[in-house]
């Protein structure tokens, strides 16, 4: 998310939590880092670098990361605990 917030190109492993947060803003590779072969990783990096400087792609990456802020996370956490304590 930090890379996306900066508009940087991203290569990521297709793990459920990452897919949910990153959406279409990454170049995806299948498997864990230990399972990836060098060719698959090199291809993904090359693809990510092709669009790394594209202004529209950079803006899309920033937009994908925008909802995921520390302030929002803190507010949601406080809200969750407030509702839990109010239900007791």
């Amino acid at each position: 998310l930090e890379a996306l917030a900066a508009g940087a190109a991203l290569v990521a492993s297709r793990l459920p939590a990452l897919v949910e947060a990153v959406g279409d803003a990454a170049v995806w590779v299948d498997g864990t880092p230990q399972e990836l072969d060098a060719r698959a990783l090199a291809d993904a990096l090359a693809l990510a670098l092709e669009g790394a400087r594209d202004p529209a792609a950079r803006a899309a990456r920033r937009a994908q990361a925008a909802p995921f802020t520390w302030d929002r996370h803190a507010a949601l956490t406080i809200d969750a605990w407030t509702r839990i304590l109010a239900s007791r």
Side-chain angles (χ1 to χ4, degrees):
L1 288 172
E2 301 293 336
L4 291 179
L10 180 68
V11 173
S13 184
R14 196 183 302 274
L15 301 173
L18 292 177
V19 172
E20 180 181 345
V22 177
D24 294 331
V27 174
W28 295 104
V29 292
D30 291 313
T32 65
Q34 296 80 11
E35 297 169 340
L36 290 175
D37 62 73
R39 181 80 256 151
L41 186 54
D43 290 346
L45 288 169
L47 186 58
L49 289 173
E50 282 178 20
R53 295 183 187 265
D54 175 50
R58 289 178 64 84
R61 292 189 288 265
R62 285 187 184 106
Q64 180 67 33
F68 299 96
T69 66
W70 286 111
D71 288 342
R72 181 171 179 263
H73 176 74
L76 290 171
T77 301
I78 290 168
D79 181 60
W81 278 108
T82 301
R83 284 185 283 122
I84 290 168
L85 294 173
S87 69
R88 291 183 164 236

